[in-house]
Amino acid sequence: MTTQQIQPKRGIVKQVLSGDSVIIRGSVGAPPPEKQLNFSNIIAPKLARRATETSEVTKDEPFAWEAREFLRKKLVGEEVWFTAEKPPNAAREYGVVYLGKDFNTAENITKSLISEGLVNVRRDGVRMTPELEELCEKRERC
């Protein structure tokens, strides 16, 4: 996914689901539209899950809580820029969130998560792009 080809949109972060997934709501409409956005090119540690009829209890992976809290403190209630696209045959939308008033100088939250060491760069089944190479360099162990 190349963020240069996608027009950025504005929204307000309503909720942080995990270290790589947020709910963004629009600023117009009653109620305003919402969308789940999964961060492109990264994998966050998984949070614990309760047992269901088809699955067992899982525990938090290391740094799962810290990754989610990092995003929650930084983004909830904030107006952000974001890019989003839905790959063919995918059920989810993927993109990048930017925090700041001006898109050109806004903080790339994916890069911040990587710099903090809270997430890993997705490598399996992904074709190398300039954006992915830059993320790998930030992570230093791809």
Side-chain angles (χ1 to χ4, degrees), residues 42 83 96 115 123:
I42 62 171
T83 60
V96 180
S115 294
R123 296 295 310 240

Side-chain angles (χ1 to χ4, degrees), residues 13-136:
V13 176
K14 175 183 175 185
Q15 183 179 2
V16 173
L17 302 175
S18 67
D20 60 4
S21 179
V22 296
I23 302 288
I24 298 177
R25 69 173 175 83
S27 52
V28 294
E34 296 179 358
K35 75 166 51 207
Q36 178 176 335
L37 185 68
N38 299 286
F39 288 56
S40 296
N41 300 320
I42 62 171
I43 302 170
K46 305 289 185 250
L47 290 162
R49 294 191 148 197
R50 295 184 184 144
T52 65
E53 291 180 18
T54 58
S55 67
E56 295 182 18
V57 173
T58 63
K59 294 186 178 188
D60 282 349
E61 292 180 0
F63 298 104
W65 181 261
E66 290 84 352
R68 188 181 80 172
E69 286 301 293
F70 176 84
L71 287 181
R72 190 184 65 76
K73 288 176 182 175
K74 190 175 271 289
L75 296 178
V76 170
E78 297 292 333
E79 191 169 16
V80 297
W81 293 94
F82 67 96
T83 60
E85 69 178 340
K86 192 172 186 177
N89 303 321
R92 299 178 174 189
E93 283 192 78
Y94 294 89
V96 180
V97 174
Y98 302 87
L99 179 61
K101 299 289 181 200
D102 177 21
F103 177 72
N104 296 317
T105 59
E107 174 186 0
N108 180 322
I109 300 302
T110 300
K111 291 179 182 177
S112 296
L113 282 164
I114 291 170
S115 294
E116 292 290 323
L118 297 170
V119 297
N120 289 312
V121 177
R122 182 182 302 273
R123 296 295 310 240
D124 296 334
V126 178
R127 126 182 107 74
M128 190 55 72
T129 63
E131 291 87 3
L132 192 56
E133 284 181 26
E134 183 181 353
L135 295 178
C136 285

